[in-house]
Amino acid sequence: GAVVSQHPSRVICKSGTSVKIECRSLDFQATTMFWYRQFPKQSLMLMATSNEGSKATYEQGVEKDKFLINHASLTLSTLTVTSAHPEDSSFYICSASEAEKFSDTQYFGPGTRLTVL
Amino acid sequence: GENVEQHPSTLSVQEGDSAVIKCTYSDSASNYFPWYKQELGKRPQLIIDIRSNVGEKKDQRIAVTLNKTAKHFSLHITETQPEDSAVYFCAAKLQGGSEKLVFGKGTKLTVNP
């Protein structure tokens, strides 16, 4: 089945630093990937839709200059949290769907737990 | 835009009993409705999905029903087992346009042995 990986799984950083999270589709191509944020005991909040070769589409209220998204290939999207602050601490999850199959199904990565000190 | 309501927020059942989780959506143009199971600290896993041209779908102990007229869909788990304990999320996707899913707030299911 379709597998999505994320790296790193956990990251702890100091306030003011930037953190990059990678999302890869391992055995399929994904023209579209999605980035979510999840707070404890809450639902998945879509941050942005990442489109290969074009600019990401951000949801209302998400700062595009703070959460930089790059989708340079059909198997890799990156999320960079710039100048991270403690309030950016969260569980970040990506998802992707199989471009070749025109599939509605989204497969999720294992998530990245970010802690900003 | 689309809005998905999910009920109940918590559900506790005895092992062997059935569990039902209900979701309603607001946009009649939605045509794809997946259900995800998420264990603590893990990724959401797709357990079943249904498209708007189908009224019911079953996979072993799990079934999903869709009522397009009423704009609601439900997840049914029969013969529940302790390993079914998790948070379940429903979602809806609009036909055409963006590929994004709109999620419900989740239901924490506890199956007591």
Side-chain angles (χ1 to χ4, degrees), chain B residues 7-39:
Chain B
H7 298 281
S9 56
T10 61
L11 179 60
S12 182
V13 300
Q14 288 298 122
E15 183 176 359
D17 288 349
S18 295
V20 180
I21 303 170
K22 298 181 179 181
C23 288
T24 59
Y25 59 99
S26 59
D27 198 321
S28 57
S30 291
N31 68 338
Y32 174 66
F33 308 93
W35 285 89
Y36 286 87
K37 174 184 179 181
Q38 187 180 30
E39 298 177 8

Side-chain angles (χ1 to χ4, degrees), chain A residues 3-4 32 34 36 38 42-44 46 49 59 91 93 103-110 113, chain B residues 31-32 36 38 41-46 49 51 89 93 98-101 103-106 108:
Chain A
V3 179
V4 177
T32 305
F34 303 87
Y36 295 86
Q38 188 175 35
Q42 293 191 23
S43 187
L44 298 149
L46 180 66
T49 302
E59 294 298 303
F91 193 50
I93 314 178
S103 172
D104 291 314
T105 304
Q106 285 189 26
Y107 299 96
F108 283 84
R113 186 160 305 280
Chain B
N31 68 338
Y32 174 66
Y36 286 87
Q38 187 180 30
K42 302 285 184 64
R43 76 182 82 196
Q45 299 264 20
L46 179 73
D49 58 10
R51 288 174 172 77
F89 293 100
K93 189 173 89 95
S98 169
E99 299 292 310
K100 67 180 183 182
L101 293 174
F103 283 86
K105 292 190 183 300
K108 182 178 180 181

Side-chain angles (χ1 to χ4, degrees), chain A residues 86-104:
Chain A
E87 58 265 29
D88 298 323
S89 298
S90 192
F91 193 50
Y92 292 88
I93 314 178
C94 69
S95 72
S97 53
E98 296 180 80
E100 308 92 48
K101 295 184 179 180
F102 300 99
S103 172
D104 291 314

